[in-house]
Amino acid sequence: MNLQKKYQINKPTWCPGCGNYGILEALKRSAANLNLEPHKIVIVTGIGCSGRINNYFKCYGIHGTHGRPLPIASGIKLVNPELTVFAVSGDGDAYSIGISHFIHTVKRNSNIIYLVVNNQVFALTKGQASPTSKFGFITISTPYGTKEFPIDGVKLALSAGGTFIARGFSGNITQLSNLIKKGIKHNGFSLIDVLSPCVIYNKAQDYRWYRENIMNLDQDSSYDSNSRKQAWEIINSSSKIPTGLIFQEEKPFWEELILEKKKPIAFLDLISEEPDYRAILNEFF
Amino acid sequence: MIKSDLSIMISGQAGDGILFTGDLLAKIFKRTGLEVFTHRDFPSNIRGEPTAYTIRASEKKIYGPSDEADILVAFDCELISRHLPKVNKEGFVICDHFEKQRLNSSLEKEKIFFNIPIRKLARDYFRREIFKNVITLGILSYFLQLELDLAAEVIEEIFLQRKGKEVVDKNIRALELGKKEVERVIKENYRIQLPTKEDLNRLLITGDEAVALGALTAGCRFFSGYPICPASEIMEWLVRILPKYNGVVVQVEDEIAAIHMTLGASYAGARAMTATSGPGFSLMSEGLSLAGMAEIPIVIVYVQRLGPSTGMPTKSEQGDLNHSLFAGHGDFPRIVISPATIEDCFYLTAESFNLAEKFQCPVILLTEQLYAQNYQTVEKFDFSQIKIDRGKLITSEELISQNEFLRYKFTKDGVSPRTIPSMSNGIHMVEGNEHSESGYRDESPENRKKMMEKRMRKLKAALNYLPQPFLSGSEEAKIGIIGFGSTFGAIQEVKNILGERNLPIQTLHLRTLWPLSQDTIKNFISSKKKVFIAEHNATGQLCHLLHLVTGPNSKLKSIRKFDSQPFRIREIVERIEEEIKR
């Protein structure tokens, strides 16, 4: 427990019972377990209750704009690949306003870890339907129930060529912190969609509902997370929502393809290493 | 006939290869020591639709196109009638013989026509019509008394590596063919004598290329962008060059990602830039606001094109001045600077990075299609003038001596010390929410007020470091002209012409548009009886901006043009003369 102290800063103000507490705990546990130094971690967040997480975890952090943590995080990682870079979004941030960045970051296979705190509702704006809300979900913005079918980020990532696709549950901190650890070690884009109850605006899907409706893939020794076929089957056919590592494969990642082991841009000394540019002018003569 | 200032217009359809011919001719003129300005008037289309390429070559320094053409080369009779009014009195037309057959014969009486079967020659000798362009270059070499060797040299430079010796030889034969053919047809002497000077390694460069080169030399090592006309060339140049200097260029999914990735890169320690035009900048305004609030230094190149909406993407306008000044939600400091010339694009881009880091705010470099995509000769850039100043970015050593690092510390000039991730004592939070000195969210009214005042103080501190306007002409002049950006060339020529007509003019060309140097503007206007504001937009956006400084002022007269074509010198001259007579 003491190991986690170095990440301690500010007291969270999430509602009692909020799933974000479990996620913060899992994040600290995984960082402590891998002995990550706070100054070598960056957490970039979007807008929503989950966006506050870097106010409660001591490290470098950016709390930016709605739906945009991924391009910010990728920019940071490309400039300094030595950092462990997390992006954290809610389901609205990731799958609604930021879905284009989501798909394109999967496509880039940028070497960052993406936690999507998925509570199926817009909570900070007080309870509107979100892109992952169940069909028929009644909210203040859908008084007659949603007329749209939910988006599943895990399916999207798998079909878009994702290389690390996992689903966690904020009520299972042990499993979640293991997934985050694996995500940190994975070379490439690690998506961890975290089922997380909102005890205020989504009372239908509380901790008990999740415990009854999820299954743990870690307990299924026959499941092979390197098999795209099995992954596709389990997320489409299972009567319960699978949690755990769903799919993983090795593929070259964005930063290594672009940077080719050059010195990180963050550490270039622009003043004393000023190169000679004169040769470049030849094309204009 | 001796000419010290010559303008040639080549017209045809998009896809004809006219841009290529024009570029070659521009390079040839440059090598003979002349000053060159090109104007590529092309449609937003790949094949078909009219294209015109005007190359102006002059003994004197020039910054814009001239009003009239001395020679019109026409590949299309429909275009002859369109462009004929632009050909001056002594001017002549070189016309593809085939096209001439369909020409309205009354037009032919207006000007001298040389009818040469250019397309037919291309087909007969080379079996491909595209050779008409190099044949035309041969024809022009005759009229302009240019050495064919010079054209051959440029052709070889372009084709030898890319397409091999055979293609080079074919093109040189086409060049000779054009010259021979015209010698055969022409009876009278219409040859033009141009002055020659030493080239002295000047550059023939576009504004977009100058911006990219300025960024490179300023230490920009990160660029992310999304293709958009007329800004893409910046990305396309940098993506070739930056990797050689440990830098990175990435094309991303949209301009929202472009600005946010740039923000991330800058935050992590890179000098970072993005470039776009109107529609893309609209998408960036959310990120612009974040840059203001989070105090992340970034450079955004805003190459204006004609709007609103998609407008005319390949034409120039200054209709986005207001957008560059006022886009983004909430109050935050920004710096908007606008190069007057292509040289200025280089030096001001480099300076943008210093301003962004010194004042930790977004810097918008506002340019225009007119010089962004057109070539001009410039003096060889002086790299020794480029200095890198990273402002209050502190080093790990400096950090050790500090007890508590406050990223948004209240300071006199509003600028706080900055660290980058990986510095062990520099951990902080960057908040888009209102925040305390440490960066963590703080919504108390007292803090909010102090923090806003801190951020806005930076603008005042910046005033002493901003690019000064170009002031030219006599202080005694009672008539003034104010402009910004690409109108510089036209306004200077207007000043010279009216000066020769005993109407002295002083001009003030603004290079910083925000924050405004109020004293400079007030002093200039108060020393004049009348001040004309010439700009390329419909509503007089610069004129409105000046009214913010002066208050209601009947001295200010707005001259506006928004028909997609650059000012003709004559239009401004006539307007001023008319107004003076009143």
Side-chain angles (χ1 to χ4, degrees), chain A residues 39 55 60-61 63 65 68 101 108 262 277 283-285, chain B residues 30-31 204 221 240 243 253 260 286 422-423 430-433:
Chain A
H39 65 278
N55 268 261
Y60 279 91
H63 180 214
T65 35
R68 324 294 174 210
H101 309 308
R108 281 191 277 268
K262 283 181 198 152
Y277 299 111
E283 66 177 279
F284 303 111
F285 285 146
Chain B
K30 184 231 161 213
R31 298 263 170 103
L204 185 66
R221 291 295 177 270
R240 268 196 300 127
E253 58 271 26
H260 284 89
E286 181 191 36
S422 81
M423 290 183 173
V430 166
E431 261 292 354
N433 281 64

PDB file of all heavy atoms in Angstrom, chain A residues 39 55 60-61 63 65 68 101 108 262 277 283-285, chain B residues 30-31 204 221 240 243 253 260 286 422-423 430-433:
ATOM      1  N   HIS A  39       6.926  11.409 -12.264  1.00  0.00           N
ATOM      2  CA  HIS A  39       7.317  12.391 -13.285  1.00  0.00           C
ATOM      3  C   HIS A  39       7.537  11.771 -14.655  1.00  0.00           C
ATOM      4  O   HIS A  39       7.784  12.471 -15.621  1.00  0.00           O
ATOM      5  CB  HIS A  39       8.553  13.186 -12.833  1.00  0.00           C
ATOM      6  CG  HIS A  39       9.792  12.367 -12.688  1.00  0.00           C
ATOM      7  ND1 HIS A  39      10.068  11.612 -11.575  1.00  0.00           N
ATOM      8  CD2 HIS A  39      10.838  12.185 -13.522  1.00  0.00           C
ATOM      9  CE1 HIS A  39      11.227  11.000 -11.729  1.00  0.00           C
ATOM     10  NE2 HIS A  39      11.711  11.332 -12.899  1.00  0.00           N
ATOM     11  N   ASN A  55      -6.526  14.932 -11.525  1.00  0.00           N
ATOM     12  CA  ASN A  55      -6.451  15.849 -10.389  1.00  0.00           C
ATOM     13  C   ASN A  55      -6.203  15.063  -9.099  1.00  0.00           C
ATOM     14  O   ASN A  55      -5.875  15.642  -8.070  1.00  0.00           O
ATOM     15  CB  ASN A  55      -7.747  16.649 -10.254  1.00  0.00           C
ATOM     16  CG  ASN A  55      -7.697  17.985 -11.016  1.00  0.00           C
ATOM     17  OD1 ASN A  55      -7.453  19.034 -10.438  1.00  0.00           O
ATOM     18  ND2 ASN A  55      -7.896  17.936 -12.331  1.00  0.00           N
ATOM     19  N   TYR A  60       2.337  14.104 -14.252  1.00  0.00           N
ATOM     20  CA  TYR A  60       2.040  15.176 -15.209  1.00  0.00           C
ATOM     21  C   TYR A  60       0.648  14.912 -15.805  1.00  0.00           C
ATOM     22  O   TYR A  60       0.327  13.757 -16.111  1.00  0.00           O
ATOM     23  CB  TYR A  60       3.085  15.202 -16.324  1.00  0.00           C
ATOM     24  CG  TYR A  60       4.361  15.911 -15.915  1.00  0.00           C
ATOM     25  CD1 TYR A  60       5.416  15.206 -15.335  1.00  0.00           C
ATOM     26  CD2 TYR A  60       4.500  17.285 -16.097  1.00  0.00           C
ATOM     27  CE1 TYR A  60       6.589  15.859 -14.951  1.00  0.00           C
ATOM     28  CE2 TYR A  60       5.660  17.946 -15.722  1.00  0.00           C
ATOM     29  CZ  TYR A  60       6.702  17.236 -15.151  1.00  0.00           C
ATOM     30  OH  TYR A  60       7.845  17.883 -14.770  1.00  0.00           O
ATOM     31  N   GLY A  61      -0.139  15.958 -15.943  1.00  0.00           N
ATOM     32  CA  GLY A  61      -1.497  15.718 -16.437  1.00  0.00           C
ATOM     33  C   GLY A  61      -2.039  16.847 -17.284  1.00  0.00           C
ATOM     34  O   GLY A  61      -1.667  18.008 -17.102  1.00  0.00           O
ATOM     35  N   HIS A  63      -5.913  18.065 -18.483  1.00  0.00           N
ATOM     36  CA  HIS A  63      -7.363  17.918 -18.562  1.00  0.00           C
ATOM     37  C   HIS A  63      -7.806  18.900 -19.633  1.00  0.00           C
ATOM     38  O   HIS A  63      -7.817  20.105 -19.414  1.00  0.00           O
ATOM     39  CB  HIS A  63      -7.983  18.257 -17.194  1.00  0.00           C
ATOM     40  CG  HIS A  63      -9.473  18.130 -17.156  1.00  0.00           C
ATOM     41  ND1 HIS A  63     -10.249  18.961 -16.382  1.00  0.00           N
ATOM     42  CD2 HIS A  63     -10.327  17.287 -17.780  1.00  0.00           C
ATOM     43  CE1 HIS A  63     -11.532  18.631 -16.534  1.00  0.00           C
ATOM     44  NE2 HIS A  63     -11.594  17.613 -17.371  1.00  0.00           N
ATOM     45  N   THR A  65      -9.924  19.066 -23.636  1.00  0.00           N
ATOM     46  CA  THR A  65     -11.217  19.343 -24.274  1.00  0.00           C
ATOM     47  C   THR A  65     -12.012  18.051 -24.415  1.00  0.00           C
ATOM     48  O   THR A  65     -11.465  16.962 -24.311  1.00  0.00           O
ATOM     49  CB  THR A  65     -10.973  19.963 -25.656  1.00  0.00           C
ATOM     50  OG1 THR A  65      -9.814  19.367 -26.220  1.00  0.00           O
ATOM     51  CG2 THR A  65     -10.747  21.453 -25.559  1.00  0.00           C
ATOM     52  N   ARG A  68     -11.009  14.871 -26.937  1.00  0.00           N
ATOM     53  CA  ARG A  68      -9.724  15.022 -27.625  1.00  0.00           C
ATOM     54  C   ARG A  68      -8.494  14.505 -26.875  1.00  0.00           C
ATOM     55  O   ARG A  68      -7.370  14.858 -27.244  1.00  0.00           O
ATOM     56  CB  ARG A  68      -9.456  16.497 -27.969  1.00  0.00           C
ATOM     57  CG  ARG A  68     -10.657  17.323 -28.374  1.00  0.00           C
ATOM     58  CD  ARG A  68     -11.261  16.875 -29.667  1.00  0.00           C
ATOM     59  NE  ARG A  68     -12.501  17.598 -29.939  1.00  0.00           N
ATOM     60  CZ  ARG A  68     -13.514  17.112 -30.625  1.00  0.00           C
ATOM     61  NH1 ARG A  68     -13.461  15.889 -31.112  1.00  0.00           N
ATOM     62  NH2 ARG A  68     -14.592  17.823 -30.834  1.00  0.00           N
ATOM     63  N   HIS A 101     -11.307  10.310 -33.425  1.00  0.00           N
ATOM     64  CA  HIS A 101      -9.952  10.169 -32.878  1.00  0.00           C
ATOM     65  C   HIS A 101      -9.723   8.737 -32.388  1.00  0.00           C
ATOM     66  O   HIS A 101      -8.639   8.190 -32.509  1.00  0.00           O
ATOM     67  CB  HIS A 101      -9.719  11.143 -31.725  1.00  0.00           C
ATOM     68  CG  HIS A 101     -10.078  12.563 -32.077  1.00  0.00           C
ATOM     69  ND1 HIS A 101      -9.590  13.179 -33.198  1.00  0.00           N
ATOM     70  CD2 HIS A 101     -10.902  13.458 -31.479  1.00  0.00           C
ATOM     71  CE1 HIS A 101     -10.082  14.410 -33.263  1.00  0.00           C
ATOM     72  NE2 HIS A 101     -10.879  14.596 -32.235  1.00  0.00           N
ATOM     73  N   ARG A 108      -3.616   4.065 -35.996  1.00  0.00           N
ATOM     74  CA  ARG A 108      -2.202   4.442 -35.843  1.00  0.00           C
ATOM     75  C   ARG A 108      -1.431   3.452 -34.970  1.00  0.00           C
ATOM     76  O   ARG A 108      -0.227   3.374 -35.043  1.00  0.00           O
ATOM     77  CB  ARG A 108      -2.105   5.823 -35.195  1.00  0.00           C
ATOM     78  CG  ARG A 108      -2.357   6.983 -36.134  1.00  0.00           C
ATOM     79  CD  ARG A 108      -1.985   8.307 -35.507  1.00  0.00           C
ATOM     80  NE  ARG A 108      -3.027   8.841 -34.659  1.00  0.00           N
ATOM     81  CZ  ARG A 108      -3.971   9.676 -35.052  1.00  0.00           C
ATOM     82  NH1 ARG A 108      -4.024  10.086 -36.304  1.00  0.00           N
ATOM     83  NH2 ARG A 108      -4.899  10.116 -34.236  1.00  0.00           N
ATOM     84  N   LYS A 262      15.385   7.400 -33.037  1.00  0.00           N
ATOM     85  CA  LYS A 262      16.126   8.667 -32.949  1.00  0.00           C
ATOM     86  C   LYS A 262      16.010   9.219 -31.535  1.00  0.00           C
ATOM     87  O   LYS A 262      15.178   8.793 -30.753  1.00  0.00           O
ATOM     88  CB  LYS A 262      15.524   9.672 -33.931  1.00  0.00           C
ATOM     89  CG  LYS A 262      15.930   9.422 -35.375  1.00  0.00           C
ATOM     90  CD  LYS A 262      15.317  10.483 -36.264  1.00  0.00           C
ATOM     91  CE  LYS A 262      15.304  10.065 -37.724  1.00  0.00           C
ATOM     92  NZ  LYS A 262      14.228  10.672 -38.466  1.00  0.00           N
ATOM     93  N   TYR A 277      21.666  24.603 -42.194  1.00  0.00           N
ATOM     94  CA  TYR A 277      20.524  24.477 -43.100  1.00  0.00           C
ATOM     95  C   TYR A 277      20.850  24.903 -44.531  1.00  0.00           C
ATOM     96  O   TYR A 277      19.990  24.863 -45.392  1.00  0.00           O
ATOM     97  CB  TYR A 277      19.356  25.329 -42.593  1.00  0.00           C
ATOM     98  CG  TYR A 277      18.857  24.936 -41.227  1.00  0.00           C
ATOM     99  CD1 TYR A 277      19.037  25.756 -40.129  1.00  0.00           C
ATOM    100  CD2 TYR A 277      18.174  23.724 -41.047  1.00  0.00           C
ATOM    101  CE1 TYR A 277      18.575  25.393 -38.872  1.00  0.00           C
ATOM    102  CE2 TYR A 277      17.719  23.354 -39.799  1.00  0.00           C
ATOM    103  CZ  TYR A 277      17.915  24.193 -38.712  1.00  0.00           C
ATOM    104  OH  TYR A 277      17.457  23.830 -37.482  1.00  0.00           O
ATOM    105  N   GLU A 283      17.387  23.741 -53.573  1.00  0.00           N
ATOM    106  CA  GLU A 283      16.202  23.521 -54.406  1.00  0.00           C
ATOM    107  C   GLU A 283      15.521  24.825 -54.827  1.00  0.00           C
ATOM    108  O   GLU A 283      14.646  24.818 -55.673  1.00  0.00           O
ATOM    109  CB  GLU A 283      15.195  22.581 -53.716  1.00  0.00           C
ATOM    110  CG  GLU A 283      14.558  23.140 -52.465  1.00  0.00           C
ATOM    111  CD  GLU A 283      13.507  22.181 -51.869  1.00  0.00           C
ATOM    112  OE1 GLU A 283      12.373  22.171 -52.369  1.00  0.00           O
ATOM    113  OE2 GLU A 283      13.849  21.454 -50.909  1.00  0.00           O
ATOM    114  N   PHE A 284      15.910  25.930 -54.209  1.00  0.00           N
ATOM    115  CA  PHE A 284      15.271  27.209 -54.554  1.00  0.00           C
ATOM    116  C   PHE A 284      16.132  28.091 -55.458  1.00  0.00           C
ATOM    117  O   PHE A 284      15.753  29.202 -55.767  1.00  0.00           O
ATOM    118  CB  PHE A 284      14.917  27.981 -53.279  1.00  0.00           C
ATOM    119  CG  PHE A 284      14.026  27.218 -52.342  1.00  0.00           C
ATOM    120  CD1 PHE A 284      14.496  26.759 -51.119  1.00  0.00           C
ATOM    121  CD2 PHE A 284      12.711  26.933 -52.697  1.00  0.00           C
ATOM    122  CE1 PHE A 284      13.684  26.031 -50.262  1.00  0.00           C
ATOM    123  CE2 PHE A 284      11.893  26.209 -51.846  1.00  0.00           C
ATOM    124  CZ  PHE A 284      12.380  25.759 -50.626  1.00  0.00           C
ATOM    125  N   PHE A 285      17.324  27.581 -55.865  1.00  0.00           N
ATOM    126  CA  PHE A 285      18.215  28.458 -56.650  1.00  0.00           C
ATOM    127  C   PHE A 285      17.824  28.568 -58.107  1.00  0.00           C
ATOM    128  O   PHE A 285      17.333  27.801 -58.744  1.00  0.00           O
ATOM    129  CB  PHE A 285      19.655  27.976 -56.546  1.00  0.00           C
ATOM    130  CG  PHE A 285      20.275  28.314 -55.215  1.00  0.00           C
ATOM    131  CD1 PHE A 285      21.192  27.470 -54.614  1.00  0.00           C
ATOM    132  CD2 PHE A 285      19.907  29.485 -54.537  1.00  0.00           C
ATOM    133  CE1 PHE A 285      21.761  27.773 -53.387  1.00  0.00           C
ATOM    134  CE2 PHE A 285      20.465  29.796 -53.299  1.00  0.00           C
ATOM    135  CZ  PHE A 285      21.390  28.938 -52.726  1.00  0.00           C
TER     136      PHE A 285
ATOM    137  N   LYS B  30      14.585  34.217 -63.272  1.00  0.00           N
ATOM    138  CA  LYS B  30      15.361  34.384 -62.039  1.00  0.00           C
ATOM    139  C   LYS B  30      16.852  34.205 -62.326  1.00  0.00           C
ATOM    140  O   LYS B  30      17.688  34.973 -61.859  1.00  0.00           O
ATOM    141  CB  LYS B  30      14.882  33.364 -61.013  1.00  0.00           C
ATOM    142  CG  LYS B  30      15.537  33.503 -59.659  1.00  0.00           C
ATOM    143  CD  LYS B  30      16.087  32.190 -59.174  1.00  0.00           C
ATOM    144  CE  LYS B  30      17.110  32.406 -58.100  1.00  0.00           C
ATOM    145  NZ  LYS B  30      18.162  31.439 -58.106  1.00  0.00           N
ATOM    146  N   ARG B  31      17.168  33.203 -63.150  1.00  0.00           N
ATOM    147  CA  ARG B  31      18.576  32.932 -63.454  1.00  0.00           C
ATOM    148  C   ARG B  31      19.210  34.062 -64.275  1.00  0.00           C
ATOM    149  O   ARG B  31      20.422  34.206 -64.285  1.00  0.00           O
ATOM    150  CB  ARG B  31      18.709  31.614 -64.236  1.00  0.00           C
ATOM    151  CG  ARG B  31      18.216  30.399 -63.481  1.00  0.00           C
ATOM    152  CD  ARG B  31      19.337  29.650 -62.798  1.00  0.00           C
ATOM    153  NE  ARG B  31      18.801  28.641 -61.906  1.00  0.00           N
ATOM    154  CZ  ARG B  31      18.764  27.329 -62.182  1.00  0.00           C
ATOM    155  NH1 ARG B  31      19.253  26.884 -63.316  1.00  0.00           N
ATOM    156  NH2 ARG B  31      18.260  26.485 -61.318  1.00  0.00           N
ATOM    157  N   LEU B 204      13.991  31.424 -55.485  1.00  0.00           N
ATOM    158  CA  LEU B 204      12.666  31.531 -56.096  1.00  0.00           C
ATOM    159  C   LEU B 204      11.776  30.618 -55.248  1.00  0.00           C
ATOM    160  O   LEU B 204      11.930  29.401 -55.272  1.00  0.00           O
ATOM    161  CB  LEU B 204      12.702  31.064 -57.550  1.00  0.00           C
ATOM    162  CG  LEU B 204      11.402  31.240 -58.330  1.00  0.00           C
ATOM    163  CD1 LEU B 204      11.064  32.719 -58.500  1.00  0.00           C
ATOM    164  CD2 LEU B 204      11.492  30.579 -59.700  1.00  0.00           C
ATOM    165  N   ARG B 221      10.114  21.058 -34.602  1.00  0.00           N
ATOM    166  CA  ARG B 221      10.412  19.650 -34.859  1.00  0.00           C
ATOM    167  C   ARG B 221       9.150  18.797 -34.811  1.00  0.00           C
ATOM    168  O   ARG B 221       9.219  17.568 -34.774  1.00  0.00           O
ATOM    169  CB  ARG B 221      11.450  19.136 -33.844  1.00  0.00           C
ATOM    170  CG  ARG B 221      12.834  19.738 -34.044  1.00  0.00           C
ATOM    171  CD  ARG B 221      13.450  19.337 -35.375  1.00  0.00           C
ATOM    172  NE  ARG B 221      14.736  19.957 -35.620  1.00  0.00           N
ATOM    173  CZ  ARG B 221      14.889  21.137 -36.239  1.00  0.00           C
ATOM    174  NH1 ARG B 221      13.840  21.812 -36.687  1.00  0.00           N
ATOM    175  NH2 ARG B 221      16.095  21.636 -36.445  1.00  0.00           N
ATOM    176  N   ARG B 240       9.104  16.192 -46.026  1.00  0.00           N
ATOM    177  CA  ARG B 240      10.330  15.766 -46.713  1.00  0.00           C
ATOM    178  C   ARG B 240      11.569  16.083 -45.882  1.00  0.00           C
ATOM    179  O   ARG B 240      12.542  15.356 -45.898  1.00  0.00           O
ATOM    180  CB  ARG B 240      10.452  16.536 -48.047  1.00  0.00           C
ATOM    181  CG  ARG B 240       9.843  15.833 -49.232  1.00  0.00           C
ATOM    182  CD  ARG B 240      10.344  16.441 -50.541  1.00  0.00           C
ATOM    183  NE  ARG B 240      10.029  17.847 -50.709  1.00  0.00           N
ATOM    184  CZ  ARG B 240      10.944  18.765 -50.998  1.00  0.00           C
ATOM    185  NH1 ARG B 240      12.211  18.445 -51.120  1.00  0.00           N
ATOM    186  NH2 ARG B 240      10.574  20.022 -51.161  1.00  0.00           N
ATOM    187  N   PRO B 243      12.218  15.052 -40.945  1.00  0.00           N
ATOM    188  CA  PRO B 243      12.821  13.817 -40.430  1.00  0.00           C
ATOM    189  C   PRO B 243      14.344  13.826 -40.479  1.00  0.00           C
ATOM    190  O   PRO B 243      15.003  13.181 -39.658  1.00  0.00           O
ATOM    191  CB  PRO B 243      12.247  12.732 -41.346  1.00  0.00           C
ATOM    192  CG  PRO B 243      10.942  13.299 -41.811  1.00  0.00           C
ATOM    193  CD  PRO B 243      11.197  14.780 -41.966  1.00  0.00           C
ATOM    194  N   GLU B 253      -6.450  12.857 -38.748  1.00  0.00           N
ATOM    195  CA  GLU B 253      -7.805  12.658 -39.260  1.00  0.00           C
ATOM    196  C   GLU B 253      -8.582  13.942 -39.521  1.00  0.00           C
ATOM    197  O   GLU B 253      -9.491  13.959 -40.331  1.00  0.00           O
ATOM    198  CB  GLU B 253      -8.604  11.736 -38.322  1.00  0.00           C
ATOM    199  CG  GLU B 253      -8.735  12.206 -36.865  1.00  0.00           C
ATOM    200  CD  GLU B 253      -7.601  11.717 -35.976  1.00  0.00           C
ATOM    201  OE1 GLU B 253      -6.513  11.465 -36.502  1.00  0.00           O
ATOM    202  OE2 GLU B 253      -7.819  11.603 -34.755  1.00  0.00           O
ATOM    203  N   HIS B 260      -4.824  19.549 -31.504  1.00  0.00           N
ATOM    204  CA  HIS B 260      -4.626  18.910 -30.204  1.00  0.00           C
ATOM    205  C   HIS B 260      -3.309  18.126 -30.150  1.00  0.00           C
ATOM    206  O   HIS B 260      -2.639  18.092 -29.123  1.00  0.00           O
ATOM    207  CB  HIS B 260      -5.829  18.030 -29.845  1.00  0.00           C
ATOM    208  CG  HIS B 260      -7.005  18.834 -29.387  1.00  0.00           C
ATOM    209  ND1 HIS B 260      -7.955  19.310 -30.257  1.00  0.00           N
ATOM    210  CD2 HIS B 260      -7.365  19.293 -28.166  1.00  0.00           C
ATOM    211  CE1 HIS B 260      -8.852  20.020 -29.572  1.00  0.00           C
ATOM    212  NE2 HIS B 260      -8.521  20.014 -28.302  1.00  0.00           N
ATOM    213  N   GLU B 286     -11.729  25.275 -30.878  1.00  0.00           N
ATOM    214  CA  GLU B 286     -11.831  24.662 -29.552  1.00  0.00           C
ATOM    215  C   GLU B 286     -10.437  24.471 -28.946  1.00  0.00           C
ATOM    216  O   GLU B 286     -10.191  24.807 -27.779  1.00  0.00           O
ATOM    217  CB  GLU B 286     -12.534  23.303 -29.718  1.00  0.00           C
ATOM    218  CG  GLU B 286     -12.747  22.536 -28.456  1.00  0.00           C
ATOM    219  CD  GLU B 286     -13.186  21.100 -28.750  1.00  0.00           C
ATOM    220  OE1 GLU B 286     -12.701  20.516 -29.738  1.00  0.00           O
ATOM    221  OE2 GLU B 286     -14.012  20.578 -27.999  1.00  0.00           O
ATOM    222  N   SER B 422       8.774  14.536 -17.392  1.00  0.00           N
ATOM    223  CA  SER B 422      10.046  13.843 -17.135  1.00  0.00           C
ATOM    224  C   SER B 422      10.957  14.670 -16.230  1.00  0.00           C
ATOM    225  O   SER B 422      11.953  14.156 -15.733  1.00  0.00           O
ATOM    226  CB  SER B 422      10.810  13.437 -18.405  1.00  0.00           C
ATOM    227  OG  SER B 422      11.521  14.539 -18.925  1.00  0.00           O
ATOM    228  N   MET B 423      10.621  15.939 -15.976  1.00  0.00           N
ATOM    229  CA  MET B 423      11.422  16.716 -15.018  1.00  0.00           C
ATOM    230  C   MET B 423      10.887  16.399 -13.625  1.00  0.00           C
ATOM    231  O   MET B 423       9.705  16.623 -13.338  1.00  0.00           O
ATOM    232  CB  MET B 423      11.278  18.211 -15.297  1.00  0.00           C
ATOM    233  CG  MET B 423      11.951  18.653 -16.582  1.00  0.00           C
ATOM    234  SD  MET B 423      11.819  20.442 -16.779  1.00  0.00           S
ATOM    235  CE  MET B 423      12.859  20.709 -18.204  1.00  0.00           C
ATOM    236  N   VAL B 430      -2.091  20.531 -16.067  1.00  0.00           N
ATOM    237  CA  VAL B 430      -2.515  21.514 -17.068  1.00  0.00           C
ATOM    238  C   VAL B 430      -4.028  21.378 -17.197  1.00  0.00           C
ATOM    239  O   VAL B 430      -4.511  20.320 -17.577  1.00  0.00           O
ATOM    240  CB  VAL B 430      -1.810  21.256 -18.416  1.00  0.00           C
ATOM    241  CG1 VAL B 430      -2.495  22.025 -19.533  1.00  0.00           C
ATOM    242  CG2 VAL B 430      -0.347  21.650 -18.327  1.00  0.00           C
ATOM    243  N   GLU B 431      -4.719  22.425 -16.826  1.00  0.00           N
ATOM    244  CA  GLU B 431      -6.179  22.351 -16.757  1.00  0.00           C
ATOM    245  C   GLU B 431      -6.858  23.248 -17.789  1.00  0.00           C
ATOM    246  O   GLU B 431      -6.514  24.409 -17.934  1.00  0.00           O
ATOM    247  CB  GLU B 431      -6.651  22.796 -15.356  1.00  0.00           C
ATOM    248  CG  GLU B 431      -6.976  21.665 -14.396  1.00  0.00           C
ATOM    249  CD  GLU B 431      -8.207  20.862 -14.796  1.00  0.00           C
ATOM    250  OE1 GLU B 431      -8.890  21.229 -15.751  1.00  0.00           O
ATOM    251  OE2 GLU B 431      -8.476  19.834 -14.133  1.00  0.00           O
ATOM    252  N   GLY B 432      -7.829  22.685 -18.494  1.00  0.00           N
ATOM    253  CA  GLY B 432      -8.711  23.503 -19.316  1.00  0.00           C
ATOM    254  C   GLY B 432      -9.756  24.174 -18.447  1.00  0.00           C
ATOM    255  O   GLY B 432     -10.354  25.190 -18.823  1.00  0.00           O
ATOM    256  N   ASN B 433      -9.980  23.596 -17.271  1.00  0.00           N
ATOM    257  CA  ASN B 433     -10.828  24.264 -16.280  1.00  0.00           C
ATOM    258  C   ASN B 433     -10.020  25.399 -15.655  1.00  0.00           C
ATOM    259  O   ASN B 433      -8.796  25.348 -15.641  1.00  0.00           O
ATOM    260  CB  ASN B 433     -11.205  23.291 -15.151  1.00  0.00           C
ATOM    261  CG  ASN B 433     -12.322  22.342 -15.544  1.00  0.00           C
ATOM    262  OD1 ASN B 433     -12.146  21.529 -16.446  1.00  0.00           O
ATOM    263  ND2 ASN B 433     -13.438  22.424 -14.864  1.00  0.00           N
TER     264      ASN B 433
END
